[in-house]
Amino acid sequence: GQQAIDMIRSGGRHYDAIFMDHMMPGMDGVEAARIIRQEIGTEYTRNIPIIMLTANAIVGNEEMFLEAGFQAFISKPIDIMKLDSILRRWVRDKGLKKGLGVDRVDRQPPEEAGQQRNSGSGRTEHPLPNRSLLDIVAISGLDIHRGLERFGYDEESYISVLQSYTANTRPLLVSMRENLAAENLKDYAIVVHGVKGSSYGVCAQETGLAAEQLEKAAKEGNLELVKNGHSPFVKATEVFLDKLDAALAGLGAASGGFPPAG
């Protein structure tokens, strides 16, 4: 949050939009947006679209988000098509008047999405264009079909996000260890919340569920439960990340190499 404020305040670059997470260490997205809107107070900061990313998109929160200065919010895991609709409305439509209110964009509940993907006792298969590379990725805990569906069957985009996921999850595991050693359950919950969101986002369902359980325990202040679950979670996640890294390296070799993750 503070980094976002500093970047906007510096004036070194003007942005088309700000995507602000809700739960962040140090300063949450609501407070960061308030400072950008009210304390910096330039014409630019009063009008730049600020879009919240949240796993807590609950009916009735629209007024709170509007008062905090958000134009829209997208619930996580992010649906790529709904993200595109937000960009079309708030960035690509140059004729749009600013400050029209909150645009709520929700994903389907998991149970509804699951019903659509499955018919009877079997999965409804979607044709997968150019799926040859991803055919060799078979990792327990990663739902490749669901991930491709989420990314519009764009293999290149999905692979790029998976690369970013493996690169950025390991530092979060280190941060979790540090917060647990300090018995700082508040920041532990925020960090594991990030692991949960990114894991569900790439369809690493098992890792996401385990992170969700640790987050719940941390929010409840149950230090013993967090301590008991932390080490098995970290070990399992590190093994999963190693396997995913190896699979991605194999894909890169098969295709002549991928660009580094952003």
Side-chain angles (χ1 to χ4, degrees), residues 67 196 200-201:
E67 290 175 352
K196 176 193 73 175
Y200 280 145

Side-chain angles (χ1 to χ4, degrees), residues 100-120:
L100 297 182
V102 170
D103 181 2
R104 178 175 181 179
V105 180
D106 278 321
R107 67 180 176 90
Q108 285 181 304
E111 62 273 13
E112 292 183 13
Q115 289 169 2
Q116 288 194 0
R117 280 190 298 273
N118 292 277
S119 176

Side-chain angles (χ1 to χ4, degrees), residues 225-244:
L225 189 57
V226 172
K227 285 183 174 180
N228 289 339
H230 172 81
S231 292
F233 171 78
V234 169
K235 182 177 180 180
T237 302
E238 288 176 339
V239 169
F240 173 71
L241 293 174
D242 287 344
K243 290 180 178 179
L244 184 53

